[in-house]
Amino acid sequence: MNVTVEPGLLGGALSRLPSSKSHVHRLLIAAALCRPVKEDREETRILCSGENEDIGATVNCLQRLNAAIIREGDGLKVISSLLWPRQAALSCGESGSTLRFLLPLCAAGPGEVTLTGRGRLTERPNGPYLEALRAHGAVIEGDSLPLTVRGGLRSGDYSLPGNVSSQYFTGLMFALPLLSGDSKLTYTSPLESVPYVELTLSVLRRFGIRVEKTENGWRIPGGQVYTSPGIAAAEADWSAAAFWLGANRLGSAVKLSGLDEHSFQGDKAVQKLLLQIGDEMDLRQTPDLMPVLSAVAAAVPGKTTRITGAARLRLKESDRLTAMAEVIRALGGSAEEAPDGLTVHGTRLRGGTVDGHGDHRVAMSAAIAATVCAGPVTILGAEAVNKSYPDFWRDFEQMGGRLHG
C-alpha cells in the first residue's frame, strides 16, 4: 500500500493512544506464567487498546503454549496454564520481543518448541543470547531462525555485554525465577536501554516476582511463583506519542491525553530530546526514537543535529540509519551516516517519494516530515505501520492530515 501525504499542519485532540507495545508484551507473558490455584486456572484481565502485529504474535505463541487468551471488551483475558505441550511450533512474525522474551522460557519448559519468524527477524543476531543459554544447559538446535528448543535450562551465573539487546535481559528475567536454584544476571559493560529493563522489573513486581539489584546486575531467587494481580492496565504508548509530539515540534497542535509522566517507558524522553534539535543527542537508552527525531531535525531549517549511540538500529526491521538517511535525502534534505548515528542538516524539505523500507517507524516518521514539506510526499509500503500502530493513518486524518492513495 502506498500513501500520498499532502503538506499541512495537524491539530486536534487525540484522546486514545494505543497501549504501549512494550508493556503489553510483558503483561501477557507474566499473566500466562501465573500458577493455577488448586484446580482453577489463574485469570488476569489486561486492559489495553490498539492491537498490532507484534502483540498478535505474542498472543498466538502463548496460545500455542496452552494459555487461553480471549479478547474481552477493552482488553484481553489471559487464563494461564503450566501444562505446556510436549511439542509446539511458535511463529514470532517480525517481533523481536516475542522471540527473545519466549526463547529462555521455552528452554525452561518440558517440551520441544520450534520458533520461526519472517522478514528481518530471521537475520537479526542472537549469538550472545544463544551462547549464554547453551552454557547453562539449554538444548537449542540452530543459530538463526528457525530454532528448536528442547529444554535443559539451569539456574546459575549469567553474564552478557550491556550493549546487546535489552530484550535478552528481559527474557532471562522472565525465565530464571521459575528454575529450582538461585541465579545471578550480570552485565559486563555499561547497560544500554535501561528503561526497557526497568519496565520489565515493574511488571515482575506486579506479578509477585522478586529480583534483587546488585552492583552490576541482579540476583534472581529461584522457585518463585507468578501471582496474578487480577487486573493490570497497560500504559498509553510513549513510542506512538513521539510521532505526534514530533509533529508539534514542527508547528502542529495535537493534544494528547492518557500518557503517564511517571512511566518506565524509555521513549517518554522524546519530550526532552525534541528540545535538543540543533545539538547533539545520545540515544543509547532510547534508540527507537531516532527515526522521528531525525525526520524532525531534517525539517528545522538552519539547525544541524548530531545523533549518536544508535548503532543497534542497523539490525531492526530495516537498517534504520541508512533508511532514514535515504528518506531525508529523497525529501530534499541532507543527512550523513556514521557507524552509530546520523548528522542531519535541517532545511525546508521539498517533498517527493520515499521508501518505507518495510519499517513502521520509518513510514510514520516520513509522514510527520511530510506535514511541513513544500510538496506532497508519497510513502511506499505504508502498511508497515500495522506492526505497531495500525490506526496511525486513521488518526493522522482525524488530526486534519490529508491523505490519498
Side-chain angles (χ1 to χ4, degrees):
M1 178 181 90
N2 303 330
V3 166
T4 298
V5 181
E6 298 291 338
L9 297 178
L10 308 176
L14 193 58
S15 59
R16 191 173 175 83
L17 284 163
S19 295
S20 163
K21 183 162 65 87
S22 298
H23 201 195
V24 176
H25 277 303
R26 289 162 170 80
L27 291 173
L28 281 168
I29 292 169
L33 292 173
C34 290
R35 176 171 293 178
V37 178
K38 296 181 180 179
E39 296 181 358
D40 297 326
R41 301 171 80 189
E42 190 80 339
E43 293 186 7
T44 306
R45 188 174 175 217
I46 299 173
L47 304 180
C48 58
S49 63
E51 287 188 50
N52 53 60
E53 290 178 352
D54 280 10
I55 294 302
T58 292
V59 167
N60 291 337
C61 288
L62 292 174
Q63 287 173 329
R64 288 184 174 272
L65 294 173
N66 282 347
I69 302 178
I70 304 162
R71 165 54 68 184
E72 191 177 68
D74 57 351
L76 295 163
K77 182 167 71 174
V78 182
I79 306 173
S80 63
S81 171
L82 293 185
L83 300 175
W84 284 27
R86 288 183 176 273
Q87 285 192 314
L90 310 185
S91 174
C92 301
E94 292 188 88
S95 174
S97 296
T98 304
L99 169 64
R100 290 162 173 172
F101 293 173
L102 293 182
L103 182 55
L105 285 168
C106 293
E112 177 179 296
V113 180
T114 299
L115 298 116
T116 62
R118 58 183 173 82
R120 291 263 295 185
L121 186 60
T122 62
E123 305 170 17
R124 290 167 71 174
N126 292 292
Y129 206 19
L130 296 175
E131 290 173 13
L133 295 171
R134 286 171 174 147
H136 290 82
V139 180
I140 303 173
E141 181 181 313
D143 293 314
S144 59
L145 293 179
L147 296 169
T148 299
V149 186
R150 298 188 180 92
L153 191 67
R154 300 188 300 265
S155 56
D157 293 348
Y158 289 74
S159 60
L160 288 164
N163 63 347
V164 298
S165 174
S166 65
Q167 293 169 350
Y168 297 175
F169 291 93
T170 287
L172 287 166
M173 285 177 173
F174 277 127
L176 296 180
L178 300 173
L179 303 180
S180 58
D182 296 350
S183 297
K184 290 182 180 178
L185 178 55
T186 302
Y187 44 89
T188 58
S189 60
L191 183 63
E192 298 184 6
S193 297
V194 171
Y196 293 100
V197 176
E198 293 294 340
L199 183 64
T200 301
L201 291 169
S202 73
V203 170
L204 291 173
R205 287 193 294 270
R206 188 88 169 91
F207 283 81
I209 298 298
R210 289 186 298 115
V211 177
E212 302 163 7
K213 187 75 179 75
T214 63
E215 183 178 356
N216 57 345
W218 305 268
R219 179 183 174 274
I220 303 176
Q224 297 192 63
V225 176
Y226 283 78
T227 304
S228 173
I231 297 176
E235 298 174 353
D237 191 16
W238 277 99
S239 295
F243 297 99
W244 310 116
L245 294 172
N248 288 350
R249 176 64 177 81
L250 295 176
S252 290
V254 177
K255 296 180 181 179
L256 303 175
S257 58
L259 290 164
D260 183 357
E261 293 286 346
H262 303 289
S263 171
F264 286 108
Q265 293 177 58
D267 284 359
K268 74 175 183 180
V270 68
Q271 300 173 103
K272 294 181 179 178
L273 290 166
L274 284 167
L275 300 177
Q276 294 176 227
I277 298 295
D279 204 341
E280 182 171 326
M281 54 181 76
D282 184 337
L283 299 187
R284 277 178 293 182
Q285 302 302 333
T286 55
D288 285 339
L289 290 174
M290 187 282 299
V292 68
L293 290 171
S294 62
V296 172
V300 179
K303 299 283 189 179
T304 294
T305 305
R306 185 165 177 253
I307 296 171
T308 62
R312 281 181 289 130
L313 293 181
R314 295 196 181 278
L315 303 172
K316 294 285 189 173
E317 289 83 346
S318 67
D319 177 338
R320 285 182 176 159
L321 294 174
T322 295
M324 286 308 303
E326 291 180 0
V327 165
I328 290 167
R329 292 177 195 133
L331 296 178
S334 174
E336 301 153 7
E337 282 188 64
D340 73 336
L342 293 177
T343 298
V344 182
H345 307 283
T347 188
R348 177 72 193 280
L349 301 176
R350 64 169 183 263
T353 298
V354 301
D355 185 348
H357 290 269
D359 191 319
H360 53 131
R361 296 188 190 276
V362 173
M364 290 187 280
S365 298
I368 297 308
T371 62
V372 292
C373 285
V377 174
T378 298
I379 302 168
L380 309 180
E383 72 279 3
V385 302
N386 293 334
K387 190 173 193 297
S388 64
Y389 194 168
D391 291 332
F392 176 80
W393 298 117
R394 183 203 68 183
D395 290 349
F396 192 90
E397 287 190 294
Q398 183 182 327
M399 295 300 103
R402 293 180 294 146
L403 307 174
H404 58 86

